Amino acid sequence: MDKLGINLPWFLTQLTGFLIVLFILRQFTYKPILNMLETRKRKIAESLEYADKVKADAAAQQKDFERRLDEARREAQVAAQSAQQAAEQERQRILAEAQAEAAKIKEAARGELDYERKQMVSELRQQVIDLSVLGAQRVIGANLDDRKSRQLVENFLNEMDFGANGRKPASTREGAGA
Amino acid sequence: MRNPKVWIAIIALLVVGGVIKTWLTFSVDAVRASVAIAPEILFNLAGFDVTPTIITLIIVMIIIILLAVFSTRNLQLVPGGLQNIMETAIEQLINLFEGIAGPKWRDFFTIAASIFILVIVSNFVGLIPGAGSIGIIKLDEKHPTAPEGIFILGDAPAFIHTTSLFHKNQLAQGVPEQELEEEQALVPILRAPTSDINLPLALALVSVIMTQVYGMRAQGLRYWTRFFSFGRIIRFFADAFKGHFKIGEFFFGLIDAFVGAVELVSELGKIIAFTFRLFGNIFAGEVILLIMAFLFFALPIPFYGLEFFVAFIQAFVFAVLTVAFMRLATAEHGGESHEAQHH
């Protein structure tokens, strides 16, 4: 034992040293650090739980948001469709109105034209009659009975169908030109 | 090791070491290298022989206490610095012990972790350059002056006059005082406490005794049937008294008693195994480093690295075996009750 160096005072010194180290480590290191590790573990677990909750909430919100977005989109689509329909109807209406207006204007224009033409023909007729009578007077050198000669030309024109009937002015005019 | 700075530092150290070796005339030849199993006595303090291992133990304790106090002085939830290092170490130990002992690790943690920390710091302090090589040379009538070629720091501490344990032993063995073998040996100031058999012995005793305590705490008095299992033999004699002779019971009883005896011996053997595993490894490491230094000046370097590994492994093994034995002692060893315990 002595050769190995085992002796009681030295042994007790070493043992005491170990026990002091053990006590100090237990008091100042193990207890606080184990507590700290425990606390940290709990905190991390809590944080993870919270994160999960937040994530779930976010997912729910996302779903809700998407649902609302879908709804809004659908509504917008419906609104757009109805607006398009209304616009189409409006267009049709305006088109029809415009067409009716145009037809009316055309009709009115045609009526006016007809009237003016009739007017012109009638004026022309008067002038032709006047010219004919005047021409005839020159030819025969006598003063023709105005009323009577007029009647004659009038009759002639009527025979020729010149301007008496507005229905066939073209053929009449053609005939007159020929 | 990919960091080039590490290599530059190693090469620089080698160069500096070589220069010192060649320019300064250190000589180990003048002194007999001290290979003493028992720690040498540095001085006597009020009847108490102070050894280098005790001085080193005190230094180790100071280091551990400073670490323990400063690492946890201002605990933060988000750790940093020393707290981080300490927490990582403790956490690694927890993982290790939990892997061995399962949920029971909490019971064993204080002792096993303290053993680990004390042993590893002791081993590392013993590896500090100068531990084992800086020391005191004893002078006596036959050696009134220090040997030549020895580097002396001042003159006071190097010339303390002590009687070496070696002389004590020789005297105890009846060698006449005139024929005492004379030697001048260096007594180091620092020496790993684990290379003094008293510390490994103290740790081994704590480990084994606490194993019995935990075993008793877990199983009550039934724990001792592990070593003294005479139940069957007593039953046999009780039956025999009533007139039923069950020979099988008798033989099984004998086997039980024998197994118990073997367990008892192996339990006592654990003390010796623990002690000499640690002491032997660390002491042998010191001797190897010393011998290598005598062979060639750079030779101790690889062994020095090896000793760091051994220093860690021995602390690890001591702690792990302690936990493993405690776990075995606290586990029920009756088949059916073992199942019942866990449900």
Side-chain angles (χ1 to χ4, degrees), chain B residues 286-342:
Chain B
E286 289 186 350
V287 174
I288 281 180
L289 288 182
L290 187 70
I291 290 170
M292 294 304 152
F294 275 97
L295 294 179
F296 176 62
F297 80 99
L299 205 54
I301 292 171
F303 288 92
Y304 193 64
L306 183 72
E307 284 314 310
F308 267 98
F309 180 66
V310 170
F312 168 76
I313 284 294
Q314 287 310 314
F316 179 85
V317 164
F318 208 118
V320 162
L321 283 180
T322 298
V323 173
F325 289 148
M326 283 177 174
R327 188 235 147 97
L328 281 180
T330 51
E332 303 275 325
H333 57 283
E336 64 273 26
S337 58
H338 183 265
E339 285 299 306
Q341 183 82 11
H342 283 273

Side-chain angles (χ1 to χ4, degrees), chain B residues 82-104:
Chain B
L82 206 56
Q83 186 196 346
N84 209 349
I85 294 167
M86 204 66 175
E87 271 188 18
T88 311
I90 299 284
E91 225 170 347
Q92 291 299 320
L93 285 177
I94 289 173
N95 287 341
L96 178 68
F97 297 159
E98 205 173 8
I100 300 165
K104 287 183 198 158

Side-chain angles (χ1 to χ4, degrees), chain A residues 22 26 30 34, chain B residues 94 97-98 101-115 206-207 210-211 213-219 319 322-327 329-331 341:
Chain A
L22 182 126
R26 197 175 79 132
Y30 303 154
L34 288 184
Chain B
I94 289 173
F97 297 159
E98 205 173 8
K104 287 183 198 158
W105 67 268
R106 275 173 189 282
D107 299 338
F108 316 143
F109 185 80
T110 307
I111 287 180
S114 303
I115 288 177
V206 167
S207 167
M210 287 314 286
T211 301
V213 171
Y214 286 130
M216 274 243 315
R217 200 187 278 170
Q219 303 180 35
T322 298
V323 173
F325 289 148
M326 283 177 174
R327 188 235 147 97
T330 51
Q341 183 82 11

